[in-house]
Coordinates of all heavy atoms in Angstrom, one line a residue:
M119 N -70.0 64.7 68.9 CA -69.0 63.9 69.6 C -68.2 63.0 68.6 O -68.8 62.4 67.8 CB -69.7 63.1 70.7 CG -68.7 62.3 71.5 SD -69.6 61.4 72.8 CE -68.9 59.8 72.5
V120 N -66.9 63.0 68.8 CA -66.1 62.2 67.9 C -65.8 60.9 68.5 O -65.5 60.8 69.7 CB -64.8 63.0 67.6 CG1 -63.9 62.1 66.7 CG2 -65.1 64.3 66.9
L121 N -65.9 59.9 67.8 CA -65.7 58.5 68.3 C -64.2 58.1 68.3 O -63.5 58.4 67.4 CB -66.4 57.5 67.4 CG -66.5 56.1 67.7 CD1 -67.2 55.9 69.1 CD2 -67.2 55.3 66.6
D122 N -63.7 57.6 69.4 CA -62.3 57.0 69.5 C -62.4 55.6 69.1 O -63.2 54.8 69.7 CB -61.8 57.2 70.9 CG -61.5 58.6 71.3 OD1 -61.3 59.4 70.4 OD2 -61.5 58.9 72.6
V123 N -61.5 55.2 68.2 CA -61.5 53.8 67.7 C -60.1 53.2 68.0 O -59.1 53.7 67.5 CB -61.8 53.7 66.2 CG1 -61.7 52.3 65.7 CG2 -63.2 54.2 65.9
A124 N -60.1 52.1 68.8 CA -58.9 51.4 69.0 C -58.6 50.5 67.8 O -59.4 49.6 67.5 CB -59.0 50.5 70.3
V125 N -57.6 50.9 67.1 CA -57.3 50.2 65.8 C -57.2 48.7 65.9 O -57.8 48.0 65.1 CB -56.0 50.8 65.2 CG1 -55.6 50.1 63.9 CG2 -56.1 52.3 64.9
A126 N -56.5 48.2 66.9 CA -56.4 46.8 67.1 C -57.7 46.0 67.3 O -57.8 44.9 67.0 CB -55.4 46.5 68.2
E127 N -58.7 46.7 67.8 CA -60.0 46.1 68.1 C -61.1 46.6 67.2 O -62.3 46.2 67.5 CB -60.3 46.4 69.6 CG -59.3 45.9 70.6 CD -59.4 46.5 72.0 OE1 -60.4 47.2 72.2 OE2 -58.6 46.2 72.8
A128 N -60.8 47.4 66.2 CA -61.8 48.0 65.4 C -62.6 46.9 64.6 O -62.0 45.9 64.1 CB -61.2 48.9 64.4
P129 N -63.9 47.0 64.6 CA -64.7 46.0 63.9 C -64.7 46.2 62.3 O -65.7 46.5 61.7 CB -66.1 46.2 64.5 CG -66.1 47.6 64.8 CD -64.7 48.0 65.2
V130 N -63.5 46.1 61.8 CA -63.4 46.3 60.3 C -62.6 45.1 59.8 O -62.0 44.3 60.5 CB -62.6 47.6 60.0 CG1 -63.4 48.8 60.4 CG2 -61.3 47.7 60.6
D131 N -62.5 45.0 58.4 CA -61.8 43.9 57.9 C -60.3 44.1 58.0 O -59.8 45.2 58.3 CB -62.2 43.6 56.4 CG -61.9 44.7 55.5 OD1 -60.9 45.4 55.7 OD2 -62.6 44.8 54.5
E132 N -59.5 43.1 57.7 CA -58.0 43.2 58.0 C -57.4 44.2 57.1 O -56.4 44.9 57.5 CB -57.4 41.8 57.7 CG -55.9 41.7 58.2 CD -55.7 42.1 59.6 OE1 -56.6 41.8 60.5 OE2 -54.6 42.7 59.9
A133 N -57.9 44.4 55.8 CA -57.3 45.4 54.9 C -57.5 46.8 55.5 O -56.6 47.6 55.5 CB -57.9 45.3 53.5
C134 N -58.7 47.1 56.0 CA -58.9 48.4 56.6 C -58.1 48.6 57.9 O -57.5 49.7 58.1 CB -60.4 48.5 57.0 SG -61.6 48.7 55.7
R135 N -57.9 47.5 58.7 CA -57.1 47.6 59.9 C -55.7 48.0 59.6 O -55.0 48.8 60.2 CB -57.2 46.3 60.7 CG -56.5 46.4 62.0 CD -56.7 45.2 62.9 NE -58.1 45.2 63.5 CZ -59.1 44.5 63.1 NH1 -58.9 43.6 62.2 NH2 -60.3 44.6 63.7
Q136 N -55.1 47.4 58.5 CA -53.8 47.6 58.1 C -53.6 49.1 57.7 O -52.6 49.7 58.0 CB -53.3 46.7 57.0 CG -53.1 45.2 57.5 CD -52.8 44.3 56.4 OE1 -52.7 44.7 55.2 NE2 -52.7 43.0 56.7
V137 N -54.5 49.6 56.9 CA -54.4 51.0 56.5 C -54.5 51.9 57.8 O -53.8 52.9 57.9 CB -55.5 51.4 55.5 CG1 -55.5 52.8 55.1 CG2 -55.4 50.5 54.3
M138 N -55.4 51.6 58.7 CA -55.6 52.4 59.9 C -54.3 52.3 60.7 O -53.9 53.4 61.3 CB -56.8 51.9 60.7 CG -58.1 52.1 60.1 SD -59.5 51.2 60.8 CE -59.6 51.9 62.4
E139 N -53.6 51.2 60.8 CA -52.3 51.1 61.5 C -51.3 52.0 60.8 O -50.5 52.6 61.5 CB -51.8 49.6 61.5 CG -52.5 48.7 62.4 CD -52.2 49.0 63.9 OE1 -51.3 49.8 64.2 OE2 -52.9 48.4 64.8
R140 N -51.2 52.0 59.5 CA -50.3 52.9 58.8 C -50.5 54.3 59.1 O -49.6 55.1 59.2 CB -50.2 52.6 57.3 CG -49.5 51.3 57.0 CD -49.2 51.1 55.5 NE -50.4 51.2 54.7 CZ -51.0 50.1 54.1 NH1 -50.4 49.0 54.2 NH2 -52.1 50.2 53.4
L141 N -51.8 54.7 59.1 CA -52.2 56.1 59.4 C -51.7 56.5 60.8 O -51.2 57.5 61.0 CB -53.7 56.3 59.2 CG -54.2 56.2 57.8 CD1 -55.7 56.3 57.8 CD2 -53.6 57.3 56.9
K142 N -52.0 55.6 61.7 CA -51.6 55.8 63.1 C -50.1 55.9 63.2 O -49.6 56.8 63.9 CB -52.2 54.6 64.0 CG -52.0 54.9 65.5 CD -52.6 53.7 66.2 CE -52.3 53.9 67.7 NZ -52.8 52.7 68.5
S143 N -49.4 55.1 62.5 CA -47.9 55.1 62.6 C -47.4 56.4 62.0 O -46.3 56.9 62.4 CB -47.3 53.9 61.8 OG -47.6 52.7 62.4
A144 N -48.1 57.0 61.0 CA -47.7 58.2 60.4 C -48.1 59.4 61.2 O -47.9 60.6 60.9 CB -48.3 58.3 59.0
G145 N -48.8 59.2 62.4 CA -49.2 60.3 63.2 C -50.5 60.9 62.9 O -50.9 62.0 63.4
C146 N -51.3 60.3 62.0 CA -52.6 60.8 61.6 C -53.6 60.1 62.5 O -54.1 59.0 62.2 CB -52.8 60.4 60.1 SG -51.5 61.0 59.0
V147 N -54.0 60.8 63.5 CA -54.9 60.1 64.5 C -56.1 60.9 64.9 O -57.0 60.4 65.6 CB -54.1 59.7 65.8 CG1 -53.1 58.6 65.4 CG2 -53.5 60.9 66.4
V148 N -56.2 62.2 64.6 CA -57.2 63.1 65.1 C -58.3 63.3 64.0 O -58.0 63.7 62.8 CB -56.7 64.5 65.5 CG1 -57.7 65.4 66.0 CG2 -55.6 64.2 66.6
A149 N -59.6 63.1 64.4 CA -60.7 63.3 63.4 C -60.8 64.8 63.1 O -60.5 65.7 63.8 CB -62.0 62.8 64.1
D150 N -61.4 65.0 61.9 CA -61.8 66.3 61.4 C -60.6 67.3 61.2 O -60.7 68.5 61.1 CB -62.8 67.0 62.3 CG -64.1 66.2 62.4 OD1 -64.5 65.7 61.4 OD2 -64.7 66.2 63.5
M151 N -59.4 66.7 61.1 CA -58.2 67.5 60.8 C -57.7 67.1 59.5 O -57.5 65.9 59.2 CB -57.1 67.2 61.9 CG -55.8 68.0 61.6 SD -54.6 67.6 62.9 CE -55.3 68.5 64.3
P152 N -57.4 68.0 58.6 CA -56.8 67.6 57.3 C -55.4 67.2 57.4 O -54.6 67.8 58.0 CB -56.9 68.9 56.5 CG -57.1 70.0 57.4 CD -57.6 69.4 58.7
Y153 N -55.1 66.0 56.8 CA -53.8 65.4 56.8 C -53.4 65.3 55.3 O -54.2 65.2 54.4 CB -53.8 64.0 57.4 CG -53.9 64.0 58.9 CD1 -55.1 63.7 59.5 CD2 -52.9 64.3 59.7 CE1 -55.3 63.7 60.9 CE2 -53.0 64.3 61.1 CZ -54.2 64.0 61.7 OH -54.3 64.0 63.0
S154 N -52.1 65.2 55.1 CA -51.5 65.0 53.8 C -50.3 64.0 53.9 O -49.5 64.1 54.8 CB -51.0 66.3 53.3 OG -50.5 66.2 52.0
V155 N -50.3 63.0 53.1 CA -49.3 62.0 53.1 C -48.7 61.7 51.7 O -49.4 62.1 50.7 CB -49.8 60.6 53.7 CG1 -50.1 60.7 55.2 CG2 -50.9 60.1 52.9
E156 N -47.5 61.2 51.7 CA -47.0 60.8 50.4 C -47.4 59.4 50.0 O -47.7 58.6 50.9 CB -45.4 60.8 50.5 CG -44.8 62.2 50.8 CD -44.9 63.1 49.6 OE1 -45.2 62.7 48.5 OE2 -44.8 64.4 49.8
P157 N -47.5 59.1 48.7 CA -48.0 57.7 48.4 C -47.1 56.6 48.9 O -47.7 55.5 49.1 CB -47.9 57.8 46.8 CG -47.9 59.2 46.5 CD -47.3 59.9 47.6
F158 N -45.9 56.8 49.2 CA -45.1 55.7 49.8 C -45.5 55.5 51.3 O -45.2 54.4 51.8 CB -43.6 56.0 49.7 CG -43.1 57.1 50.6 CD1 -42.7 56.9 51.9 CD2 -42.9 58.4 50.1 CE1 -42.2 57.9 52.7 CE2 -42.5 59.4 50.9 CZ -42.1 59.2 52.3
Q159 N -46.1 56.4 51.9 CA -46.6 56.2 53.3 C -47.8 55.4 53.3 O -47.9 54.4 54.1 CB -46.8 57.6 54.0 CG -45.5 58.4 54.2 CD -45.8 59.7 54.8 OE1 -46.4 60.6 54.1 NE2 -45.5 60.0 56.0
V160 N -48.8 55.8 52.5 CA -50.1 55.1 52.4 C -50.5 55.3 51.0 O -50.7 56.5 50.5 CB -51.2 55.7 53.4 CG1 -52.4 54.8 53.2 CG2 -50.7 55.7 54.8
A161 N -50.8 54.2 50.3 CA -51.2 54.3 48.9 C -52.6 54.9 48.7 O -53.5 54.7 49.6 CB -51.1 53.0 48.2
E162 N -52.8 55.6 47.6 CA -54.2 56.1 47.3 C -55.2 55.0 47.3 O -56.3 55.2 47.8 CB -54.2 56.9 46.0 CG -55.5 57.4 45.6 CD -55.6 58.0 44.2 OE1 -54.6 58.1 43.5 OE2 -56.7 58.4 43.8
T163 N -54.9 53.9 46.7 CA -55.9 52.8 46.6 C -56.2 52.3 47.9 O -57.4 51.9 48.2 CB -55.3 51.6 45.7 OG1 -54.0 51.3 46.2 CG2 -55.2 52.1 44.2
D164 N -55.3 52.2 48.9 CA -55.6 51.8 50.2 C -56.5 52.7 50.9 O -57.4 52.3 51.6 CB -54.3 51.6 51.0 CG -53.4 50.4 50.5 OD1 -54.0 49.6 49.8 OD2 -52.2 50.4 50.8
L165 N -56.2 54.0 50.8 CA -57.1 55.0 51.4 C -58.5 55.0 50.8 O -59.5 55.1 51.5 CB -56.5 56.4 51.3 CG -55.3 56.7 52.2 CD1 -54.6 58.0 51.8 CD2 -55.8 56.7 53.7
R166 N -58.6 54.8 49.5 CA -59.9 54.7 48.9 C -60.7 53.5 49.4 O -61.9 53.5 49.5 CB -59.8 54.7 47.4 CG -59.2 56.0 46.8 CD -60.0 56.6 45.7 NE -59.4 57.9 45.3 CZ -59.9 59.1 45.6 NH1 -60.9 59.2 46.4 NH2 -59.3 60.2 45.2
Y167 N -59.9 52.4 49.6 CA -60.6 51.2 50.1 C -61.1 51.5 51.5 O -62.3 51.1 51.8 CB -59.5 50.0 50.2 CG -60.2 48.7 50.7 CD1 -60.8 47.9 49.8 CD2 -60.2 48.4 52.0 CE1 -61.4 46.7 50.2 CE2 -60.7 47.2 52.5 CZ -61.4 46.4 51.6 OH -62.0 45.2 52.0
L168 N -60.3 52.1 52.3 CA -60.8 52.5 53.7 C -62.0 53.4 53.6 O -62.9 53.3 54.4 CB -59.6 53.1 54.5 CG -59.9 53.4 55.9 CD1 -60.3 52.2 56.7 CD2 -58.7 54.1 56.6
L169 N -61.9 54.4 52.7 CA -63.1 55.3 52.5 C -64.3 54.5 52.2 O -65.4 54.8 52.7 CB -62.7 56.3 51.4 CG -63.8 57.3 51.1 CD1 -64.0 58.3 52.2 CD2 -63.4 58.1 49.8
N170 N -64.3 53.5 51.3 CA -65.4 52.8 50.9 C -65.9 51.7 51.8 O -67.1 51.3 51.8 CB -65.2 52.2 49.5 CG -65.1 53.3 48.4 OD1 -65.8 54.3 48.5 ND2 -64.2 53.1 47.5
H171 N -65.0 51.1 52.6 CA -65.3 50.0 53.4 C -65.1 50.1 54.9 O -65.5 49.3 55.7 CB -64.5 48.7 53.0 CG -64.7 48.4 51.5 ND1 -65.8 47.8 51.1 CD2 -63.9 48.6 50.4 CE1 -65.7 47.6 49.8 NE2 -64.6 48.1 49.4
G172 N -64.5 51.2 55.3 CA -64.2 51.4 56.7 C -65.3 52.2 57.5 O -65.4 53.4 57.4
E173 N -66.1 51.4 58.2 CA -67.2 52.0 59.0 C -67.2 51.3 60.3 O -67.0 50.1 60.4 CB -68.6 51.8 58.3 CG -68.7 52.5 57.0 CD -70.0 52.2 56.3 OE1 -70.6 51.1 56.6 OE2 -70.5 53.0 55.5
V174 N -67.5 52.1 61.4 CA -67.7 51.6 62.7 C -69.0 52.0 63.3 O -69.5 53.1 62.9 CB -66.5 52.0 63.6 CG1 -65.2 51.3 63.2 CG2 -66.3 53.5 63.7
H175 N -69.5 51.2 64.2 CA -70.8 51.6 64.8 C -70.5 52.3 66.1 O -69.6 51.9 66.9 CB -71.6 50.3 65.1 CG -72.1 49.7 63.9 ND1 -73.3 50.1 63.3 CD2 -71.6 48.7 63.1 CE1 -73.5 49.4 62.2 NE2 -72.5 48.5 62.1
Q176 N -71.2 53.4 66.4 CA -71.1 54.1 67.6 C -71.7 53.2 68.7 O -72.8 52.7 68.6 CB -71.8 55.4 67.6 CG -71.5 56.3 68.7 CD -71.9 57.8 68.5 OE1 -72.5 58.1 67.5 NE2 -71.5 58.6 69.4
P177 N -71.0 53.0 69.8 CA -71.5 52.1 70.9 C -72.8 52.6 71.4 O -73.0 53.8 71.6 CB -70.4 52.2 72.0 CG -69.2 52.7 71.3 CD -69.6 53.5 70.1
G178 N -73.7 51.7 71.6 CA -75.1 52.0 72.2 C -76.0 52.7 71.2 O -76.9 53.4 71.6
S179 N -75.6 52.7 69.9 CA -76.4 53.4 68.9 C -76.4 52.6 67.6 O -75.6 51.8 67.4 CB -75.7 54.8 68.7 OG -76.2 55.4 67.6
A180 N -77.3 53.0 66.8 CA -77.4 52.4 65.4 C -76.6 53.2 64.4 O -76.5 52.9 63.3 CB -78.8 52.3 65.0
L181 N -76.0 54.3 64.9 CA -75.2 55.2 64.1 C -73.9 54.6 63.5 O -73.2 54.0 64.3 CB -74.9 56.5 64.9 CG -74.1 57.6 64.1 CD1 -75.0 58.2 63.0 CD2 -73.7 58.7 65.1
V182 N -73.7 54.7 62.2 CA -72.5 54.2 61.6 C -71.7 55.4 61.2 O -72.1 56.3 60.6 CB -72.9 53.4 60.3 CG1 -71.6 52.9 59.6 CG2 -73.8 52.2 60.7
V183 N -70.4 55.3 61.6 CA -69.5 56.4 61.4 C -68.4 56.0 60.5 O -67.7 54.9 60.7 CB -68.8 56.8 62.8 CG1 -67.9 58.0 62.6 CG2 -69.9 57.1 63.8
P184 N -68.1 56.7 59.4 CA -67.0 56.4 58.5 C -65.7 56.7 59.1 O -65.5 57.7 59.8 CB -67.3 57.3 57.3 CG -68.0 58.5 57.9 CD -68.8 58.0 59.0
V185 N -64.7 55.8 58.9 CA -63.4 56.0 59.4 C -62.7 57.2 58.7 O -62.1 58.0 59.3 CB -62.5 54.8 59.2 CG1 -61.1 55.0 59.6 CG2 -63.1 53.6 60.1
L186 N -63.0 57.3 57.4 CA -62.5 58.5 56.6 C -63.7 59.3 56.1 O -64.6 58.7 55.6 CB -61.7 58.0 55.4 CG -60.2 57.5 55.6 CD1 -59.6 57.2 54.3 CD2 -59.4 58.6 56.3
R187 N -63.5 60.6 56.1 CA -64.6 61.5 55.6 C -64.3 61.8 54.1 O -65.2 61.9 53.3 CB -64.7 62.8 56.4 CG -65.2 62.6 57.8 CD -65.7 63.9 58.3 NE -65.9 63.9 59.7 CZ -66.9 63.3 60.3 NH1 -67.8 62.6 59.6 NH2 -67.0 63.3 61.6
S188 N -63.0 61.9 53.7 CA -62.7 62.3 52.4 C -61.3 61.9 52.0 O -60.4 61.8 52.9 CB -62.9 63.8 52.2 OG -62.0 64.5 53.0
V189 N -61.0 61.8 50.7 CA -59.7 61.5 50.2 C -59.6 62.2 48.9 O -60.5 62.2 48.1 CB -59.5 60.0 49.9 CG1 -58.1 59.7 49.3 CG2 -59.6 59.2 51.2
S190 N -58.4 62.9 48.7 CA -58.2 63.6 47.4 C -56.7 63.5 47.1 O -55.9 63.4 48.0 CB -58.7 65.0 47.4 OG -58.0 65.8 48.3
V191 N -56.3 63.6 45.8 CA -54.9 63.6 45.4 C -54.7 64.8 44.6 O -55.4 65.2 43.7 CB -54.7 62.3 44.5 CG1 -53.2 62.3 44.1 CG2 -55.0 61.0 45.3
E192 N -53.5 65.5 44.9 CA -53.1 66.7 44.2 C -52.7 66.2 42.8 O -51.8 65.4 42.7 CB -52.0 67.4 45.0 CG -51.6 68.7 44.4 CD -52.8 69.7 44.5 OE1 -53.4 69.8 45.5 OE2 -53.0 70.4 43.5
R193 N -53.2 66.8 41.8 CA -52.9 66.4 40.4 C -52.0 67.4 39.7 O -51.6 67.2 38.6 CB -54.2 66.3 39.6 CG -55.2 65.2 40.2 CD -54.6 63.9 39.9 NE -55.6 62.9 40.4 CZ -55.3 61.6 40.8 NH1 -54.0 61.2 40.6 NH2 -56.2 60.8 41.2
K194 N -51.7 68.6 40.3 CA -50.8 69.6 39.7 C -50.1 70.4 40.7 O -50.5 70.3 41.9 CB -51.6 70.5 38.7 CG -52.8 71.2 39.4 CD -53.6 72.0 38.4 CE -54.7 72.7 39.1 NZ -55.6 73.4 38.3
G195 N -49.1 71.1 40.3 CA -48.4 72.0 41.2 C -47.2 71.2 41.9 O -46.9 70.1 41.6
A196 N -46.7 71.9 42.9 CA -45.5 71.4 43.6 C -45.8 70.1 44.4 O -44.9 69.3 44.7 CB -45.0 72.5 44.5
D197 N -47.1 70.0 44.8 CA -47.4 68.8 45.7 C -48.1 67.7 44.9 O -48.8 66.9 45.5 CB -48.3 69.3 46.8 CG -47.6 70.1 47.8 OD1 -46.4 69.9 48.0 OD2 -48.3 71.0 48.4
V198 N -47.8 67.6 43.6 CA -48.5 66.6 42.8 C -48.2 65.2 43.3 O -47.1 64.9 43.8 CB -48.0 66.7 41.3 CG1 -46.6 66.2 41.1 CG2 -48.9 65.9 40.4
G199 N -49.3 64.4 43.4 CA -49.2 63.1 44.0 C -49.5 63.0 45.4 O -49.7 61.9 46.0
K200 N -49.4 64.1 46.2 CA -49.7 64.1 47.6 C -51.1 63.8 47.8 O -52.0 64.2 47.1 CB -49.3 65.4 48.2 CG -48.5 65.3 49.4 CD -48.0 66.6 50.0 CE -47.0 66.2 51.0 NZ -46.3 67.2 51.6
I201 N -51.4 62.9 48.9 CA -52.7 62.5 49.2 C -53.2 63.2 50.4 O -52.6 63.2 51.5 CB -52.8 61.0 49.4 CG1 -52.2 60.2 48.2 CG2 -54.2 60.5 49.7 CD1 -51.8 58.8 48.4
S202 N -54.4 63.9 50.3 CA -55.0 64.6 51.4 C -56.2 63.8 51.8 O -56.9 63.2 51.0 CB -55.4 66.0 51.0 OG -54.2 66.7 50.6
F203 N -56.5 63.8 53.2 CA -57.7 63.1 53.7 C -58.1 63.7 55.0 O -57.3 64.4 55.6 CB -57.4 61.6 53.8 CG -56.3 61.3 54.7 CD1 -56.6 61.0 56.1 CD2 -55.0 61.2 54.3 CE1 -55.5 60.7 57.0 CE2 -53.9 60.9 55.2 CZ -54.2 60.7 56.5
V204 N -59.3 63.3 55.4 CA -59.8 63.8 56.7 C -60.4 62.5 57.4 O -61.2 61.8 56.8 CB -60.9 64.8 56.6 CG1 -61.5 65.2 57.9 CG2 -60.3 66.1 55.9
L205 N -60.0 62.3 58.6 CA -60.5 61.1 59.4 C -61.9 61.5 59.9 O -62.1 62.6 60.3 CB -59.6 60.8 60.6 CG -58.2 60.1 60.2 CD1 -57.3 60.2 61.4 CD2 -58.4 58.7 59.7
G206 N -62.7 60.5 60.0 CA -64.0 60.7 60.6 C -64.0 60.2 62.1 O -65.0 60.5 62.8
V207 N -63.0 59.6 62.6 CA -62.9 59.1 63.9 C -61.4 59.3 64.4 O -60.5 59.5 63.6 CB -63.2 57.6 64.0 CG1 -64.6 57.3 63.6 CG2 -62.2 56.8 63.2
N208 N -61.3 59.3 65.7 CA -59.9 59.4 66.3 C -59.4 58.0 66.4 O -60.1 57.0 66.8 CB -60.0 59.9 67.7 CG -60.4 61.4 67.8 OD1 -60.0 62.2 66.9 ND2 -61.1 61.8 68.8
L209 N -58.1 57.8 65.9 CA -57.5 56.5 66.0 C -56.6 56.4 67.3 O -55.8 57.2 67.5 CB -56.6 56.3 64.8 CG -57.3 56.3 63.4 CD1 -56.3 56.1 62.3 CD2 -58.4 55.3 63.3
V210 N -56.9 55.4 68.1 CA -56.2 55.2 69.3 C -55.5 53.8 69.4 O -55.9 53.0 68.6 CB -57.0 55.5 70.6 CG1 -57.5 56.9 70.6 CG2 -58.2 54.6 70.6

């Protein structure tokens, strides 16, 4: 089961919340789907911060769910600099 997280009410720090808002604004809201953004949309450092610090607790459970599952940056080819990531939760 995938957790739905209301960005405005998410129990994360303000930096994580701002990154989550930018992802939501860019249309990146579905868990387990690979997304790709340009650095001007969301910076790599911001996504890495969310990867390292963005965790939410599943209601009624001790289970901790990461907001992001992975982040990678294309280092060669036509898409150099493009940032790919996979959400661990749905952003609502």
Side-chain angles (χ1 to χ4, degrees):
M119 183 175 131
V120 176
L121 187 61
D122 289 339
V123 175
V125 175
E127 301 166 4
V130 294
D131 66 29
E132 191 57 33
C134 287
R135 184 173 286 106
Q136 288 176 4
V137 177
M138 292 166 68
E139 284 289 351
R140 285 195 300 253
L141 293 176
K142 188 176 171 185
S143 295
C146 306
V147 295
V148 179
D150 300 323
M151 178 180 288
Y153 287 103
S154 186
V155 293
E156 297 289 345
F158 71 85
Q159 292 173 292
V160 183
E162 177 187 359
T163 53
D164 293 342
L165 285 170
R166 296 227 179 260
Y167 183 86
L168 184 60
L169 179 68
N170 292 323
H171 301 284
E173 296 178 333
V174 292
H175 291 274
Q176 190 165 8
S179 168
L181 183 64
V182 176
V183 181
V185 174
L186 284 183
R187 292 200 193 284
S188 64
V189 175
S190 64
V191 179
E192 189 62 45
R193 299 290 183 201
K194 58 185 177 183
D197 290 330
V198 71
K200 227 172 191 177
I201 306 165
S202 300
F203 62 92
V204 176
L205 289 168
V207 297
N208 293 325
L209 300 180
V210 295

